Amino acid sequence: MNYVFSDRVQTLKPSAIREIFKYAANPAVVSLSAGNPAPEAFPAKEIAEISEEIFRSHPIDALQYGLTEGYTPLRDYLTAYMKEKHNIGRSFDNLIITSGAQQVMDLLSKSVLNEGDTVLCEAPSFIGSLNTFRSYRAHLRGVPVEPDGMNMDALETALKEEKNVKFIYTIPNFQNPTGVTMSAEKRRRMYELAKKYGVLILEDNPYGDIRFAGEHIEAIKSLDEDGIVVYAGTFSKVISPGIRVGYCIAPQPIIQKMVVCKQGEDVHTTIWSQMICYEFMTKYNYEAHLERLRSIYRKKAKLATDAMDQYLSPKISYLPIEGGLFFWCTLPEGTDAAEFSKQAVLRKVCVVPGNAFLTDENEKCSSFRINYTTPTDENLVKGIQILGKVADEIL
């Protein structure tokens, strides 16, 4: 049979990262390509205890249909927690629980994007979100990322030049893939620019709680007195990605449309998973858990930087990080990171070439992304050492 696919998916390509995972699944391969939390970071014991109590005490609550907006106790607690802890949420805002933060990107896109509308993205940016925007046939324009976040002059130029800009997509904390954090000054300017030009900001913050160095910077959403910021949060990096629980805080009219769209996608996020998040936040020491994660990642990041200083320098440089899961490494100017990554795979080390994170994946890029959290300490050092040998051979 000749299969005819919709116009909006015909040009989509498989995620480069997911394709790399096929190689990384080989036990002989050192994977520095994933975006996974460290295995030792999962609160498996606590989740088992919570699950046992749920199915002993109120199993029907976990097994029955629930509200599309989310499990009410979790929604209520998160609303109060985010307001008290991060000054996020105003009287005009509401909150919806989603199946991971990735669904926030999809629901917002479905709610506000028409074919040909423009999304301004950091360049480079998270491939999962870029592919979501592409699936709605949006026009993507990349705005360069600097060591302190998106270039605001370039952002304003894009806002002036592009037609039908619907929103600015940003990952301000420990950005994926570069690991950089947007300064407070740039956050304020981005907000003022969005207000001036009448566009939304989609603030994606999966890594904000994994800050192990430096000073906390308030979210862009904490500035929002005008109803122009859509905030995406998730439990994927702090409890478990497998349970697929994220959330969105946004103005009520946007949430209402997202609820309708979600009803057509998955009805509601898994109730059992939502109950786990609620019980974990309210009956265990959640702040102590976050501190434990920071301690784990602080140690592993130090191990990675020591290894990169020893084995990659001076041929390969990297941007310093204060949290998150990634390092952005750069080869000498003119070197093709895609070819470098292929050579690394042949030597059984997987990294992600930087062009995978660009709005135009065919554009040349001399950088690549390393994940330092997933591999064992031994494999982390081993993988970086092999990357150094690859650089010695091909540069």
Side-chain angles (χ1 to χ4, degrees), residues 137-341:
R137 308 195 80 178
H139 167 61
L140 305 184
R141 173 155 171 176
V143 180
V145 172
E146 300 172 316
D148 62 345
M150 186 185 283
N151 182 313
M152 290 298 134
D153 291 337
L155 174 61
E156 182 160 24
T157 296
L159 286 165
K160 289 177 180 177
E161 294 178 350
E162 296 291 344
K163 296 180 179 180
N164 301 323
V165 177
K166 284 298 178 70
F167 58 84
I168 304 162
Y169 175 65
T170 180
I171 308 172
N173 294 314
F174 324 122
Q175 197 249 11
N176 182 1
T178 64
V180 305
T181 295
M182 187 184 295
S183 67
E185 179 183 358
K186 284 192 171 182
R187 295 179 196 218
R188 288 190 293 271
R189 186 164 180 215
M190 176 180 284
Y191 182 82
E192 292 302 322
L193 286 172
K195 182 178 176 180
K196 176 180 177 180
Y197 290 92
V199 303
L200 295 170
I201 297 172
L202 174 51
E203 180 178 15
D204 188 8
N205 189 29
Y207 314 108
D209 284 325
I210 314 176
R211 173 178 283 281
F212 51 72
E215 295 297 323
H216 171 74
I217 303 175
E218 295 296 333
I220 303 169
K221 182 64 177 171
S222 71
L223 306 172
D224 189 16
E225 302 294 345
D226 303 279
I228 61 174
V229 182
V230 176
Y231 179 90
T234 182
F235 292 102
S236 289
K237 304 305 186 290
V238 294
I239 295 182
S240 159
I243 63 175
R244 308 308 302 136
V245 180
Y247 55 95
C248 177
I249 301 173
Q252 173 68 13
I254 292 176
I255 294 294
Q256 287 177 336
K257 289 299 182 185
M258 292 175 72
V259 168
V260 174
C261 292
K262 184 172 171 63
Q263 288 169 347
E265 286 190 10
D266 61 1
V267 182
H268 61 74
T269 298
T270 305
I271 303 300
W272 165 74
S273 297
Q274 296 184 66
M275 294 174 75
I276 286 177
C277 293
Y278 172 71
E279 296 290 325
F280 190 83
M281 289 192 79
T282 59
K283 296 184 179 177
Y284 290 78
N285 191 332
Y286 187 61
E287 297 304 320
H289 169 70
L290 295 180
E291 281 301 323
R292 187 177 76 86
L293 298 186
R294 293 166 189 143
S295 177
I296 291 171
Y297 293 136
R298 184 181 297 113
K299 178 182 176 183
K300 289 186 75 76
K302 177 66 162 55
L303 183 68
T305 56
D306 287 348
M308 289 190 289
D309 289 342
Q310 181 176 355
Y311 298 116
L312 302 188
S313 181
K315 290 185 175 66
I316 302 175
S317 62
Y318 64 89
L319 293 176
I321 64 171
E322 296 180 336
L325 308 185
F326 307 109
F327 283 99
W328 188 243
C329 301
T330 300
L331 296 151
E333 186 175 353
T335 306
D336 184 3
E339 180 59 32
F340 177 86
S341 300

Side-chain angles (χ1 to χ4, degrees), residues 7-117:
D7 291 341
R8 71 187 187 92
V9 302
Q10 278 187 358
T11 58
L12 292 183
K13 301 175 183 177
S15 163
I17 300 174
R18 293 291 163 183
E19 293 299 300
I20 290 170
F21 279 178
K22 296 176 182 178
Y23 298 102
N26 183 340
V29 172
V30 177
S31 175
L32 304 180
S33 56
N36 302 341
E40 61 267 34
F42 294 115
K45 175 177 175 290
E46 292 84 350
I47 290 176
E49 293 172 353
I50 292 169
S51 297
E52 182 181 4
E53 176 61 24
I54 287 172
F55 289 114
R56 181 173 60 247
S57 301
H58 33 278
I60 303 305
D61 291 343
L63 299 174
Q64 188 56 276
Y65 282 117
L67 298 175
T68 301
E69 290 86 345
Y71 180 57
T72 300
L74 178 61
R75 290 181 68 233
D76 290 346
Y77 185 82
L78 263 180
T79 298
Y81 177 86
M82 293 302 291
K83 178 62 177 176
E84 178 183 353
K85 185 79 175 176
H86 299 293
N87 191 31
I88 289 177
R90 300 291 187 269
S91 60
F92 52 73
D93 284 318
N94 206 336
L95 184 149
I96 183 175
I97 304 295
T98 58
S99 298
Q102 182 66 41
Q103 192 177 48
V104 177
M105 316 311 153
D106 184 73
L107 294 176
L108 181 66
S109 297
K110 187 175 289 186
S111 298
V112 305
L113 285 180
N114 293 312
E115 182 175 345
D117 284 346

